Amino acid sequence: MASCGGRNEPDWIKRVKSGGSVPPVGPDNCSYGWASPPGENFMVRGPEYLSTRNKIAGGQYLLKPIGFDWVKGSLKIGDVLNHPNSRVRKVLEEEFPTGDRPFVWAFNLQLPSKDNYSVIAYFTVSKPIQEGSLMDQFLKGDDAFRNSRLKLIANIVKGPWIVKKAMGEQAISLIGQTLSCKYCVTNNSLEIDVDVGSSMAASVIMHLALGYFTTMAVDIAFLIESQTESEFPEQILGAFRFSELNPASASSIELSTDASAGNLESSLPTRFWKSIGQGFSQYFHPGAQEGSSTSGSAHAN
């Protein structure tokens, strides 16, 4: 089971974990806060999926969860980790002044609302990335490859019937095929900004859900979809739970939507892979029924 705690965690992780406006809570606690739900909460494609279509419970995350933000701004919030106002970036700069910093992933769900809310979960690598693995291909690949593989699984743990009916108790989607995703890459980070409002259907559902956020608990997992026999079983990149979020508790942050001048193209220098190595030691659209093809579909299962 994934956990929010850890007595032996490095100080920088403790600072990132506790520095947001939403407190970390235990995975069995559905009151106000954020948590790391167990991987078993999500069903992923099993080792013989191509022949059996069988799924198995997800296991340990490939990434280590380190923090969560519930923020709002006058503009849509994006490219957070590359902005000087980012609290996570400030922690990394203070803890690692020489620049040899752990590699951080961020998943930023940009919610469609006039107040530009964002739910942001932060992770770091916890063990070496195997050459040629799906994660390796995802990091080195272009946006077209990423869009064809990035999958989201959303489970409503607690919420009103009307939202469960609209969204489904579990939604599975290749979000790069249904939502606009921006991949913000630097030497020390990969941030995925997911514009939930880029789909009319997802926008309608999210506008409905926002009205009930103070009573809801939602688990969200990200993974890279397995499509060939050698890639099975699927593994979860990272997952998080947010519970009973109050719009009034969102931290205000001003970030330019064009703060991407420091971003790199999908072809990354050697320093990129060296920075990943530092992390080893430092530590909506509801899915439709899956068809016979395992690649290129807009919806996943």
Side-chain angles (χ1 to χ4, degrees), residues 115-284:
D115 293 311
N116 296 300
Y117 291 105
S118 268
V119 169
I120 311 173
Y122 303 96
F123 300 82
T124 191
V125 289
S126 57
K127 60 182 180 180
I129 299 172
Q130 183 178 351
E131 183 75 21
S133 66
L134 269 181
M135 188 188 293
D136 182 55
Q137 294 177 51
F138 191 84
L139 289 171
K140 294 178 179 177
D142 58 19
D143 288 357
F145 176 80
R146 294 167 181 153
N147 284 336
S148 72
R149 294 297 190 102
L150 183 63
K151 182 187 289 186
L152 177 148
I153 303 176
N155 296 331
I156 298 181
V157 179
K158 179 178 68 173
W161 173 87
I162 189 172
V163 177
K164 290 182 177 180
K165 184 69 174 178
M167 184 175 174
E169 291 196 21
Q170 176 174 267
I172 304 174
S173 179
L174 280 173
I175 57 174
Q177 303 293 305
T178 56
L179 302 175
S180 174
C181 295
K182 180 181 177 182
Y183 302 92
C184 308
V185 185
T186 75
N187 287 327
N188 303 103
S189 65
L190 170 62
E191 176 179 333
I192 304 173
D193 295 334
V194 182
D195 185 359
V196 179
S198 61
S199 160
M200 182 173 295
S203 182
V204 169
I205 293 172
M206 187 52 61
H207 275 295
L208 172 66
L210 276 170
Y212 296 95
F213 255 32
T214 56
T215 64
M216 292 180 62
V218 181
D219 286 353
I220 294 179
F222 289 92
L223 59 155
I224 304 168
E225 183 177 78
S226 296
Q227 297 180 353
T228 65
E229 186 173 357
S230 63
E231 296 171 350
F232 294 111
E234 286 181 331
Q235 292 180 279
I236 297 171
L237 285 172
F240 63 97
R241 171 179 298 169
F242 61 84
S243 182
E244 299 182 0
L245 293 185
N246 190 327
S249 70
S251 297
S252 295
I253 184 171
E254 295 304 324
L255 301 175
S256 170
T257 56
D258 296 318
S260 57
N263 281 3
L264 304 180
E265 298 300 325
S266 57
S267 177
L268 303 177
T270 303
R271 185 179 165 211
F272 174 89
W273 300 106
K274 178 183 176 183
S275 68
I276 292 180
Q278 298 297 324
F280 305 153
S281 58
Q282 300 294 336
Y283 295 45
F284 237 88

Side-chain angles (χ1 to χ4, degrees), residues 14-192:
K14 293 178 181 178
R15 289 181 61 189
V16 171
K17 189 169 290 186
S18 62
S21 62
V22 179
V25 297
D28 297 322
N29 187 345
C30 282
S31 62
Y32 173 62
W34 72 274
S36 299
E40 289 75 15
N41 284 17
F42 306 95
M43 299 301 292
V44 300
R45 295 177 173 185
E48 299 177 350
Y49 181 81
L50 287 182
S51 58
T52 66
R53 291 297 190 265
N54 287 339
K55 292 190 173 185
I56 60 174
Q60 291 293 317
Y61 308 156
L62 293 173
L63 303 173
K64 177 180 176 62
I66 59 171
F68 178 87
D69 273 333
W70 170 228
V71 293
K72 64 181 178 181
S74 59
L75 299 173
K76 185 179 297 182
I77 297 168
D79 204 359
V80 176
L81 290 175
N82 199 36
H83 197 282
N85 286 346
S86 162
R87 70 174 186 88
V88 176
R89 174 173 170 167
K90 288 179 180 178
V91 168
L92 292 171
E93 289 177 340
E94 292 169 2
E95 295 283 344
F96 305 94
T98 62
D100 288 333
R101 298 165 189 158
F103 192 86
V104 173
W105 291 56
F107 296 96
N108 173 16
L109 298 179
Q110 301 167 325
L111 308 184
S113 70
K114 62 182 179 64
D115 293 311
N116 296 300
Y117 291 105
S118 268
V119 169
I120 311 173
Y122 303 96
F123 300 82
T124 191
V125 289
S126 57
K127 60 182 180 180
I129 299 172
Q130 183 178 351
E131 183 75 21
S133 66
L134 269 181
M135 188 188 293
D136 182 55
Q137 294 177 51
F138 191 84
L139 289 171
K140 294 178 179 177
D142 58 19
D143 288 357
F145 176 80
R146 294 167 181 153
N147 284 336
S148 72
R149 294 297 190 102
L150 183 63
K151 182 187 289 186
L152 177 148
I153 303 176
N155 296 331
I156 298 181
V157 179
K158 179 178 68 173
W161 173 87
I162 189 172
V163 177
K164 290 182 177 180
K165 184 69 174 178
M167 184 175 174
E169 291 196 21
Q170 176 174 267
I172 304 174
S173 179
L174 280 173
I175 57 174
Q177 303 293 305
T178 56
L179 302 175
S180 174
C181 295
K182 180 181 177 182
Y183 302 92
C184 308
V185 185
T186 75
N187 287 327
N188 303 103
S189 65
L190 170 62
E191 176 179 333
I192 304 173

